């Protein structure tokens, strides 16, 4: 028995080291990069998990630059908020780097409605104003807090979350993501404005409302033509 224990310890140590080396990349939101840069080339026509690389000789500093977060976004819309993304679609040089950002602006009373990011955890830094923020766990527990200028809050990957400006002045945050393209699914729009549409009877039963109410919500959330 003593001999077996002595022989087992090195095996356990090797297993532990192997786990440390292998597990983190598996848990990462995006695959690890295999070269210095791989500037996205959406026009290549190549379909893969991410984007094909632009030829190195065609890469310029413009592929790594974006000034779209410098100015506040227009919040004169139904929700009173606007998300300005700085992801691989705006900055091709982010391809394979596993990071991106957004700026979110909120009018007084503005809401970034309940939504999820299926491919990333989000961390926000408040630039101005005060926000009521929160996320809901899979145990249906609401984790919520009021955050103000200079403070940070984290929304775990895949969990439904929101931000609301209940103040009398505009607010803004900068958000960071551990994915080059986090993806966003707004809960209301996903369910009531999908194409093709989710059947009325499915939504009526899920929300315990009538089909007339379902049709009314769908008409309100339908994309503007």
């Amino acid at each position: 028995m003593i001999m077996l224990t002595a022989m087992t310890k090195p095996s356990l140590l090797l297993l532990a080291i192997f786990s440390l080396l292998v597990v983190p990349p598996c848990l990462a939101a995006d695959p690890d990069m295999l070269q210095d840069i791989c500037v996205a080339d959406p026009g290549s026509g190549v379909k893969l998990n991410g984007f094909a690389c632009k030829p190195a000789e065609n890469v310029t500093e413009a592929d790594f630059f974006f000034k779209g977060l410098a100015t506040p976004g227009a919040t004169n819309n139904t929700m009173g908020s606007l998300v300005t993304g700085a992801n691989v679609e705006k900055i091709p040089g982010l391809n394979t780097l596993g990071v991106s950002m957004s700026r979110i602006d909120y009018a007084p009373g503005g809401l970034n409605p309940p939504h999820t990011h299926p491919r990333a955890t989000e961390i926000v830094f408040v630039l101005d104003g005060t926000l009521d923020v929160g996320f809901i766990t899979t145990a249906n527990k609401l984790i919520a807090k009021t955050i103000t200028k200079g403070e940070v809050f984290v929304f775990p990957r895949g969990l439904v979350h929101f931000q609301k400006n209940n103040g009398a002045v505009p607010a803004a945050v900068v958000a960071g993501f551990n994915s080059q393209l986090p993806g966003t699914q707004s809960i209301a729009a996903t369910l009531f404005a999908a194409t093709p549409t989710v059947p009325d009877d499915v939504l009526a039963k899920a929300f315990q409302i009538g089909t007339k109410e379902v049709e009314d919500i769908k008409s309100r959330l339908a994309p503007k033509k």
Side-chain angles (χ1 to χ4, degrees):
M1 181 65 73
I2 295 174
M3 190 172 181
L4 177 62
T5 303
M7 292 175 63
T8 303
K9 283 183 178 178
S11 300
L12 291 174
L13 181 60
L14 287 173
L15 180 61
I17 294 172
F18 181 77
S19 298
L20 288 173
L21 293 173
V22 173
V23 172
C26 294
L27 295 177
D30 290 350
D32 282 346
M33 56 191 294
L34 300 176
Q35 61 280 310
D36 288 344
I37 59 174
C38 175
V39 174
D41 188 10
S44 69
V46 177
K47 300 292 185 183
L48 43 75
N49 187 24
F51 295 94
C53 302
K54 179 189 287 191
E57 61 272 18
N58 296 337
V59 173
T60 71
E61 69 282 355
D63 293 316
F64 300 88
F65 176 78
F66 180 65
K67 63 180 182 180
L69 305 189
T71 55
T75 57
N76 56 336
N77 53 53
T78 304
M79 292 297 166
S81 69
L82 186 72
V83 179
T84 304
N87 53 46
V88 69
E89 294 177 336
K90 302 285 183 64
I91 310 173
L94 286 177
N95 195 37
T96 76
L97 298 185
V99 294
S100 61
M101 297 176 67
S102 287
R103 174 182 176 133
I104 312 169
D105 290 283
Y106 315 79
L111 170 71
N112 190 11
H115 62 282
T116 71
H117 301 296
R119 296 185 290 273
T121 290
E122 176 181 4
I123 182 168
V124 298
F125 173 82
V126 184
L127 293 173
D128 290 296
T130 298
L131 295 167
D132 293 328
V133 304
F135 63 87
I136 300 96
T137 70
T138 55
N140 227 28
K141 180 179 180 179
L142 172 65
I143 307 293
K145 187 170 179 61
T146 299
I147 57 176
T148 192
K149 184 174 181 178
E151 296 180 341
V152 168
F153 197 81
V154 175
F155 304 103
R157 176 182 176 180
L159 296 185
V160 176
H161 59 282
F162 62 88
Q163 303 107 31
K164 176 80 158 53
N165 179 9
N166 284 320
V169 296
V173 304
V174 168
F177 303 91
N178 62 330
S179 172
Q180 66 181 35
L181 196 61
T184 300
Q185 281 193 302
S186 181
I187 306 305
T190 296
L191 292 172
F192 291 91
T195 305
T197 60
V198 177
D200 288 358
D201 61 328
V202 171
L203 295 172
K205 189 161 188 174
F207 288 91
Q208 294 294 287
I209 57 177
T211 55
K212 186 178 184 304
E213 287 85 353
V214 170
E215 290 169 0
D216 182 54
I217 296 171
K218 283 185 174 181
S219 68
R220 291 169 181 269
L221 293 175
K224 300 288 189 295
K225 294 182 179 179

